[in-house]
Amino acid sequence: MKELLKQQAACNHWANQRIAEALLALPESAGTRETPSSFNSLQRTVLHIWDAESGWWQRLRLQERIQLPGKTFSGNLQEAVNGLLVQSKQWEEWVKQASPNALDHVIQFHTNKRELIKIKTNQLLLHVFNHSTYHRGQLITMMHQLGYTNVPATDFFLWLKLKK
């Protein structure tokens, strides 16, 4: 299980880097142009991914009060992308160092609606990486909708192939 999680964490960071390069090659105005999707701009989608990776990171670190970067963010797309890259690198490094006990540890917390949640760390990790994959796919679709065709492939199989 640890080897798979290490691969997923490394692939997540690699894929975030590839998306970052593509996003930062766009004109600055592209980041805030409205585009139909779950979040209506490239920047808002990047912020959502960063919020999720950061929020779960804080849960993993047993912080009681979660501070999402997007709640107070006032920067541009480049700053949002940089924040996400720092966060995804933290995940990658943490998984490399994690012991089997840490990966099986059950984290318990209450949602904003006071619902008690219990989740194993390894399940939390899979959720984080899967969530980021989903929204990276949206970013690629949004870039196409905005007329940009130089978008990267970010799938796990490609990462495995390039890794060899």
Side-chain angles (χ1 to χ4, degrees):
M1 173 66 98
K2 174 149 183 185
E3 186 57 33
L4 177 61
L5 290 170
K6 281 173 48 179
Q7 290 177 347
Q8 288 291 304
C11 181
N12 183 65
H13 184 64
W14 166 84
N16 283 342
Q17 288 176 309
R18 288 182 62 105
I19 284 288
E21 291 168 9
L23 290 170
L24 297 178
L26 301 177
E28 196 171 318
S29 62
T32 55
R33 279 185 47 204
E34 289 208 11
T35 310
S37 193
S38 297
F39 303 92
N40 67 357
S41 73
L42 296 169
Q43 182 170 311
R44 285 189 181 146
T45 305
V46 169
L47 280 173
H48 175 73
I49 300 169
W50 183 19
D51 277 351
E53 287 201 18
S54 176
W56 284 110
W57 175 255
Q58 292 170 61
R59 292 276 188 227
L60 177 73
R61 313 277 298 163
L62 305 178
Q63 287 180 231
E64 288 194 29
R65 296 192 193 279
I66 304 304
Q67 303 293 321
L68 301 178
K71 294 285 184 194
T72 57
F73 185 80
S74 61
N76 61 22
L77 180 60
Q78 181 172 351
E79 292 166 313
V81 163
N82 289 340
L84 174 59
L85 291 176
V86 168
Q87 185 63 67
S88 66
K89 186 64 174 174
Q90 285 180 308
W91 281 113
E92 183 179 11
E93 294 302 319
W94 188 89
V95 173
K96 282 183 194 174
Q97 304 297 324
S99 69
N101 285 343
L103 294 172
D104 279 336
H105 181 76
V106 175
I107 296 171
Q108 176 177 306
F109 60 93
H110 286 91
T111 66
N112 293 338
K113 296 179 181 178
R114 303 301 306 152
E115 177 186 7
L116 178 64
I117 302 292
K118 294 180 182 182
I119 187 170
K120 281 188 171 186
T121 302
N122 56 31
Q123 294 169 326
L124 180 153
L125 292 167
L126 289 173
H127 169 70
V128 168
F129 305 142
N130 186 55
H131 178 268
S132 293
T133 298
Y134 175 81
H135 289 292
R136 281 191 303 267
Q138 287 184 322
L139 286 168
I140 288 169
T141 298
M142 293 167 78
M143 285 189 275
H144 281 294
Q145 290 172 341
L146 291 169
Y148 302 107
T149 56
N150 190 18
V151 296
T154 59
D155 62 294
F156 183 68
F157 183 74
L158 177 60
W159 176 81
L160 286 172
K161 210 168 111 177
L162 292 173
K163 190 177 161 245
K164 289 184 179 191

